[in-house]
Amino acid sequence: MLVSLVPWFLFISLSDARPNRKPTTTLINQICSQAQNSSLCLQVLESDPRSAHADLGGLGKISIDIARKDAKQKSNLIASLKKEATNSSLKGRYDYCAELYGDAIDDLHGAGQILNKKVLSPFDISTFRIKASAAFSGPNFCFEEVPPNEPSKLKEAFKKFKDLCEIVLVIGASLKSG
């Protein structure tokens, strides 16, 4: 009799261990409810197939990947705007912006590396938050003195990047050590 119960016990145990979409959906909703652009947050996290079974760290990696790809697109946009620019000071400004986006990409990469650890220490979490914050705020300096003829494409693109980085910041605020 005991031998015949073992397969049922294993079946029940394994079926309970399968990842469930519902907790991830709840986690995504919790994260996105804290983001200023909650609709973008929901859109990007729910549209990524990796999110279906991701925990907080997994969602962090996903959001970092998305923000890094977006920053690379912004770098390409800046390069094309620089080619079109005829004003040397504007070209210099685009160079500066490209450098800031490059730094943001590096900061996001560093934050992602931290999430590869199995156990996060308080120092890891602090470093993650610092890197995410630097990625979020760095490109702000592109817009300190905006000339009146500044292409609106760049400002709109920056707004999206900032919203994507904010998702990373929200996840960073939710990380716990141990």
Side-chain angles (χ1 to χ4, degrees), residues 74-98 150-151 154:
K74 301 313 175 264
S75 293
N76 293 337
L77 173 62
I78 291 167
S80 71
L81 290 172
K82 181 184 172 189
K83 286 180 186 176
E84 296 170 8
T86 55
N87 179 325
S88 63
S89 68
L90 191 55
K91 285 185 178 194
R93 191 159 166 269
Y94 287 140
D95 282 337
Y96 179 60
C97 288
E150 178 70 48
L154 189 56

Side-chain angles (χ1 to χ4, degrees), residues 28 32 41-48 51 59 62-63 167:
I28 290 172
C32 293
C41 179
L42 287 168
Q43 175 194 348
V44 298
L45 289 180
E46 289 178 343
S47 67
D48 192 299
S51 295
L59 291 175
I62 293 165
S63 64
I167 299 167

Side-chain angles (χ1 to χ4, degrees), residues 60-61 63-72 100-115 128 130-136 139 161 164-169:
K61 288 178 186 179
S63 64
I64 287 169
D65 287 348
I66 293 167
R68 284 182 66 204
K69 286 177 190 169
D70 192 74
K72 288 177 185 176
L100 292 174
Y101 272 100
D103 291 345
I105 291 167
D106 292 344
D107 288 329
L108 288 167
H109 177 76
Q113 293 296 90
I114 291 168
L115 292 179
F128 177 92
I130 290 167
K131 289 186 176 297
S133 182
F136 175 82
F161 174 71
L164 292 172
C165 283
E166 189 196 13
I167 299 167
V168 178
L169 287 170

Side-chain angles (χ1 to χ4, degrees), residues 149-168:
N149 60 348
E150 178 70 48
S152 62
K153 288 191 291 188
L154 189 56
K155 288 181 200 172
E156 291 167 16
F158 173 66
K159 168 76 172 102
K160 182 180 178 191
F161 174 71
K162 204 170 168 181
D163 287 343
L164 292 172
C165 283
E166 189 196 13
I167 299 167
V168 178

